[in-house]
Amino acid sequence: MVGFSEDDLRAAAGARSFARGQGYLDAVSGLEVGDSWFAARVQGTEAYEVEIAADGTDRLHGECDCPYGQEGHFCKHCVALGLVVLGRAREVPAQRSAAAHRAEGLERWLDSLSREELLELVREQLGTDRELRRRLELRAAAARSDEPAVRDRVLALLDPAPFAQYGYVEYADARAYGTQASEAVAALRVLITGDRAAQAVTLAREAMAVIGSAYEDVDDSSGHLGSVAAKLAEVHLEACRAARPDPRETAAWLARHLLGDDHYLFDTDPADYSEVLGGEGLARLRQLADEAWQRNPSGWAEKYLRERLVKAAGNVDELIAVYATDLSPSGETHLRIAQGLDAADRPDEALAWAERGLRETDAAHRAHSGLEDYLCARYTRADRLADAVAVRRDGFRAHRSLAAYRLLREAARAEGGWEREREAAVKLLHQEAQGQQSGWYGGHVLLDALLDDDDLEAAWQAAQDGLATDAQWLTLADRIREDRPADALEVYLRLVEPRKQVTGDANYEQIIQLLLGARACHQRLGTQKRFTDYVAALRTEQKRKRNLMKLLGQHGL
């Protein structure tokens, strides 16, 4: 039993990624089986390391180092691995048993070795694994309190030069650099537990400066080095709590650190240092923060430090005064003031500040500040539904997007006036769509809104009027093919034509999806022979495109 089904894969990936993953089954190699996980290499644009796990929850988890997977998505490579596992489901129990047997065998063998044999094994590995040697050298230096050697080894582990080509650490090498840097963090923790916390404080600060300087020259799309930086900041705080360095000196360092160019990387909260700083240190830090803000009142770092310290003090009115000195045109600051007042159980003042934000900011600038969401939630709770609709109406007129349309629809339905609001909103979208160019990407919001309302007849008419992009035509065809297969078939075949002239796997996958849609239409119409003849002619015409021919075969086309 593998712990998941094909439906689980489809739910985790979505229809499009699932369909694309079906074309990568032959690209999966080196399958490894664990107790609840499966790993393999999948050859895409590059060779990607892929792992999926069924941990007994309702969700299947997947990791892949392709760009889409690095964004947290269950990508087509994860789908391909999952389908291969399902295809070999009968072999999985035996493979799991074999893996457990190998692990137990290794443990028993290690337990059977004498101290001398284990040492010889370690020395053998040190002779061939330079990375392991550097790590153990650091641990040895820390164990014998050799401070110069520890510093030397820590800085060596943080040095990006061995991973950089032409002065820059590429994405493919960033993970290895981050893994090595994490060893330096582990060594600093050893210093803390070994009663050398004061040395750890000094060395952690130096290490943070090194990583902060190196980060600009690292492609950390995976976030691995950023995670190491966060752990390094945690170690510095732990070391300060253990060593209790001079509070005024610590306050001065914190001010420099939080006002420096790399403060965003470590996400240090000055409030976490309250215990270390004590009253004297906190007073000094506030003084330094105020002086920095006076020198540069528009600086983001200066404002952040000052706000965090005031917030830590718990004085709501003082915090509002700080916020009010620089009100954002997006309404974000008004919202933060309102939320602070809510937390202080002052809801009437909170609403007044939020409504002030609505008056003082332009709808075009506040779409993503959260102010409109806050106000609509307050209005809805107070049964002021017409006010909520007015906010959403202004938001939609300023940003005629599908998201804004949906918010307006939700508010207007609750108020009972959606039919009236929809007529005006669709009319506005019609006016905007006139004269815009269409293509494969982008798209007119009008078509998206009509499709979202399931008004397929109006959407078809708008598309016929020349307002649909290729992508919207495809979505429309997918939606109507059950009831209007002949119309959908015309769309699919028309979209195939220009793609015949383009090469590349991504284009071939688009052709496959269009052909699958066309096949469904012919099946609905009872004209499967016409589709078979069409595909045969396509194969003859495109026979030089080997990858396309391969995909056609994989999908039974």
Side-chain angles (χ1 to χ4, degrees):
M1 181 176 178
V2 301
F4 61 87
S5 66
E6 188 172 305
D7 287 341
D8 293 327
L9 287 173
R10 186 180 286 104
R16 189 168 293 276
S17 287
F18 181 83
R20 290 177 174 176
Q22 291 176 308
Y24 281 80
L25 302 188
D26 292 342
V28 179
S29 63
L31 177 64
E32 296 183 49
V33 179
D35 53 355
S36 62
W37 56 266
F38 304 89
R41 175 171 291 186
V42 180
Q43 184 65 47
T45 307
E46 301 176 10
Y48 298 118
E49 298 297 329
V50 187
E51 181 175 322
I52 58 175
D55 56 8
T57 66
D58 294 334
R59 185 170 175 231
L60 185 64
H61 301 277
E63 293 184 5
C64 177
D65 55 5
C66 74
Y68 191 62
Q70 287 295 337
E71 295 176 0
H73 301 289
F74 196 96
C75 67
K76 60 187 177 184
H77 307 112
C78 293
V79 171
L81 170 57
L83 292 173
V84 167
V85 169
L86 289 173
R88 304 179 188 177
R90 292 184 178 180
E91 305 170 16
V92 168
Q95 289 176 315
R96 281 180 172 159
S97 177
H101 181 71
R102 288 194 299 272
E104 291 171 4
L106 176 59
E107 286 294 324
R108 287 197 302 269
W109 177 66
L110 289 173
D111 288 339
S112 71
L113 295 179
S114 65
R115 179 177 182 276
E116 289 74 18
E117 289 172 324
L118 284 171
L119 286 173
E120 182 59 32
L121 179 62
V122 172
R123 292 188 181 103
E124 179 184 329
Q125 293 302 309
L126 291 177
T128 58
D129 191 335
R130 185 166 55 183
E131 182 177 338
L132 176 62
R133 172 176 288 279
R134 292 169 68 177
R135 293 175 180 177
L136 293 187
E137 284 175 347
L138 175 56
R139 295 194 181 189
R144 66 176 186 270
S145 302
D146 187 345
E147 294 187 11
V150 171
R151 179 180 181 277
D152 177 68
R153 289 294 83 201
V154 166
L155 296 182
L157 288 170
L158 296 173
D159 183 9
F163 302 90
Q165 294 185 7
Y166 311 109
Y168 186 80
V169 181
E170 301 287 350
Y171 171 80
D173 300 311
R175 182 176 291 273
Y177 172 51
T179 300
Q180 178 174 294
S182 66
E183 285 296 317
V185 178
L188 292 174
R189 282 206 164 94
V190 171
L191 290 177
I192 298 172
T193 58
D195 296 326
R196 293 185 297 282
Q199 181 192 359
V201 170
T202 302
L203 197 47
R205 294 179 184 178
E206 193 170 357
M208 291 168 78
V210 171
I211 285 190
S213 176
Y215 193 75
E216 294 182 1
D217 298 319
V218 178
D219 181 352
D220 192 37
S221 301
S222 65
H224 195 59
L225 185 58
S227 176
V228 173
K231 292 176 182 176
L232 181 56
E234 292 172 4
V235 167
H236 177 264
L237 179 57
E238 292 172 16
C240 286
R241 286 171 173 167
R244 294 304 174 102
D246 178 81
R248 288 180 62 85
E249 186 278 331
T250 303
W253 178 84
L254 266 176
R256 291 193 302 272
H257 170 65
L258 291 167
L259 296 172
D261 292 336
D262 57 358
H263 62 88
Y264 67 92
L265 176 59
F266 299 97
D267 196 26
T268 302
D269 189 340
D272 293 337
Y273 284 81
S274 296
E275 179 186 350
V276 175
L277 294 171
E280 181 184 7
L282 282 171
R284 177 58 176 159
L285 184 56
R286 285 201 63 172
Q287 178 188 357
L288 293 170
D290 288 342
E291 291 173 356
W293 177 76
Q294 289 170 6
R295 290 192 300 270
N296 185 22
S298 61
W300 188 92
E302 287 80 0
K303 288 189 290 185
Y304 170 80
L305 176 55
R306 191 163 177 257
E307 290 169 10
R308 290 301 304 171
L309 290 171
V310 171
K311 184 176 290 187
N315 188 322
V316 175
D317 291 313
E318 186 179 0
L319 182 61
I320 291 173
V322 170
Y323 285 149
T325 59
D326 187 22
L327 294 172
S328 168
S330 69
E332 180 182 359
T333 321
H334 297 82
L335 175 61
R336 291 162 72 183
I337 292 174
Q339 291 169 334
L341 289 165
D342 276 332
D345 198 23
R346 293 156 63 175
D348 292 341
E349 294 175 74
L351 181 58
W353 264 101
E355 290 178 328
R356 174 179 167 181
L358 203 66
R359 294 192 302 271
E360 295 180 352
T361 61
D362 190 281
H365 295 127
R366 63 172 181 257
H368 305 294
S369 69
L371 180 64
E372 293 177 356
D373 293 340
Y374 174 89
L375 275 169
C376 285
R378 288 291 302 266
Y379 287 152
T380 300
R381 289 198 300 269
D383 202 28
R384 294 173 57 181
L385 301 181
D387 290 331
V389 172
V391 171
R392 294 308 189 192
R393 185 188 304 123
D394 288 344
F396 172 72
R397 288 175 177 174
H399 294 277
R400 289 179 289 280
S401 65
L402 179 60
Y405 183 84
R406 287 171 170 168
L407 291 171
L408 174 59
R409 181 177 61 198
E410 179 184 4
R413 279 179 173 170
E415 192 256 347
W418 174 230
E419 184 176 348
R420 178 185 67 256
E421 291 292 337
R422 182 178 187 272
E423 182 179 356
V426 170
K427 181 179 180 180
L428 188 61
L429 291 176
H430 264 291
Q431 293 171 351
E432 182 183 58
Q434 296 296 331
Q436 291 188 9
Q437 298 296 314
S438 61
W440 178 258
Y441 295 102
H444 303 301
V445 178
L446 171 64
L447 264 295
D448 294 332
L450 294 174
L451 288 168
D452 205 58
D453 283 338
D454 205 31
D455 190 348
L456 300 183
E457 187 61 39
W460 178 260
Q461 184 57 55
Q464 293 283 59
D465 291 341
L467 300 181
T469 65
D470 286 354
Q472 288 170 325
W473 271 116
L474 176 58
T475 300
L476 184 55
D478 289 342
R479 296 278 296 276
I480 67 171
R481 71 185 182 199
E482 290 297 317
D483 298 323
R484 300 169 62 173
D487 288 333
L489 176 61
E490 179 184 348
V491 174
Y492 291 131
L493 296 184
R494 174 169 55 79
L495 294 177
V496 167
E497 287 305 310
R499 284 158 187 76
K500 292 180 181 179
Q501 314 305 319
V502 182
T503 59
D505 290 346
N507 180 68
Y508 299 155
E509 289 176 359
Q510 290 178 357
I511 291 176
I512 293 298
Q513 297 311 308
L514 293 169
L515 291 176
L516 291 174
R519 181 170 67 183
C521 292
H522 276 293
Q523 290 171 344
R524 190 82 174 165
L525 292 166
T527 54
Q528 291 93 324
K529 172 116 182 12
R530 287 176 55 192
F531 179 72
T532 301
D533 293 342
Y534 175 85
V535 173
L538 178 69
R539 279 181 167 275
T540 300
E541 180 184 356
Q542 304 286 315
K543 62 183 179 181
R544 294 182 180 275
K545 298 175 180 176
R546 289 181 293 178
N547 285 357
L548 176 58
M549 296 299 104
K550 180 180 177 181
L551 286 173
L552 288 169
Q554 290 173 348
H555 289 83
L557 296 170

